[in-house]
Amino acid sequence: GQQVMQIPQYQHVQEGEDFTTYCNSSTTLSNIQWYKQRPGGHPVFLIQLVKSGEVKKQKRLTFQFGEAKKNSSLHITATQTTDVGTYFCAHQGAGNMLTFGGGTRLMVKP
Amino acid sequence: DAGVIQSPRHEVTEMGQEVTLRCKPISGHDYLFWYRQTMMRGLELLIYFNNNVPIDDSGMPEDRFSAKMPNASFSTLKIQPSEPRDSAVYFCASSIYRGLSYGYTFGSGTRLTVV
């Protein structure tokens, strides 16, 4: 499947600070999905983006799909300790097969 | 809905032993996926099924790994013989697909340790 690269790999923030993770591809993506995995847990589906320039919000989380559909971002406003975990982007390729990025591990200092 | 159910949650076995991991997908989901997660390699797709038929097993590491889906409500991933490098968390996920994915639902995973 198409490769998606995520940066940064790790991010430490103070509680209340904002956080952003980026997902990039060298080729056009048909869609992007975002997942969150809590420490010791399993990935949980957050959202899917399919349209060029699409922006979706879930409370303090804002998801964007780039105009060229080659990149995506997840932004968390005013992080809380409950936001701790690893955030993955994933691209759905042919046949409903998801290819995951390497993930960004978010750590929040209270 | 109980979600995707995996068993066992933890498995510790000795090198050379056979290991069988089990998965019950969400009823009505027509796709089932087996992933392996390690710190070094992240989330790797091993194999996936559509309507109980294996579609792509190119991620299966070697012949020691095999997977079956005898019916829509059950799948197994078998490792025989197991090796220490197989130690990882194995996730099963299921999804429904109607031209567009609606996201995967993952099980809680099986943490496998081969000593």
Side-chain angles (χ1 to χ4, degrees), chain B residues 2-7 22-26 34 75 92 106-109:
Chain B
V4 175
I5 300 172
Q6 288 187 249
S7 64
R22 297 172 175 79
C23 175
K24 176 179 168 56
I26 291 175
W34 282 101
S75 177
C92 174
F106 282 78
S108 298

Side-chain angles (χ1 to χ4, degrees), chain A residues 10 31 33 35 37 40-45 48 50 88 92-100 105, chain B residues 9 31 33 35 37 39 43 45 48 56 91 95-97 99-104 106-108 111:
Chain A
Y10 304 94
N31 61 79
Q33 298 183 10
Y35 290 77
Q37 184 176 20
H42 57 277
V44 174
F45 175 72
Q48 176 167 252
V50 297
F88 293 96
Q92 179 210 340
N96 192 24
M97 192 173 80
L98 274 186
T99 301
F100 283 84
R105 185 179 170 193
Chain B
R9 287 298 307 273
Y31 279 80
F33 307 84
Y35 280 86
Q37 186 175 41
M39 287 295 293
L43 272 166
L45 176 65
Y48 76 98
D56 187 338
F91 288 107
S95 81
I96 193 166
Y97 180 69
L100 191 68
S101 171
Y102 293 91
Y104 288 12
F106 282 78
S108 298
R111 182 173 294 276

Side-chain angles (χ1 to χ4, degrees), chain A residues 32 34 45-51 53-65 73-75, chain B residues 100:
Chain A
I32 277 285
W34 286 92
F45 175 72
L46 295 177
I47 209 159
Q48 176 167 252
L49 305 171
V50 297
K51 297 177 183 176
E54 189 169 15
V55 178
K56 288 188 177 180
K57 292 191 176 186
Q58 290 179 351
K59 297 183 181 177
R60 294 177 295 104
L61 277 60
T62 302
F63 304 85
Q64 285 190 297
F65 202 7
S73 64
L74 159 58
H75 179 82
Chain B
L100 191 68

Side-chain angles (χ1 to χ4, degrees), chain B residues 67-107:
Chain B
K68 293 182 180 179
M69 192 166 184
N71 57 63
S73 58
F74 185 64
S75 177
T76 59
L77 178 67
K78 186 177 294 186
I79 308 173
Q80 166 64 16
S82 57
E83 296 182 2
R85 60 191 167 125
D86 301 330
S87 298
V89 180
Y90 290 81
F91 288 107
C92 174
S94 71
S95 81
I96 193 166
Y97 180 69
R98 296 293 180 263
L100 191 68
S101 171
Y102 293 91
Y104 288 12
T105 302
F106 282 78

Side-chain angles (χ1 to χ4, degrees), chain B residues 17-55:
Chain B
Q17 296 297 306
E18 178 180 295
V19 176
T20 299
L21 311 181
R22 297 172 175 79
C23 175
K24 176 179 168 56
I26 291 175
S27 176
H29 281 195
D30 49 1
Y31 279 80
L32 183 140
F33 307 84
W34 282 101
Y35 280 86
R36 178 171 68 176
Q37 186 175 41
T38 61
M39 287 295 293
M40 291 298 295
R41 302 173 73 91
L43 272 166
E44 299 176 275
L45 176 65
L46 300 177
I47 186 171
Y48 76 98
F49 297 82
N50 176 214
N51 291 323
N52 314 338
V53 176
I55 302 300

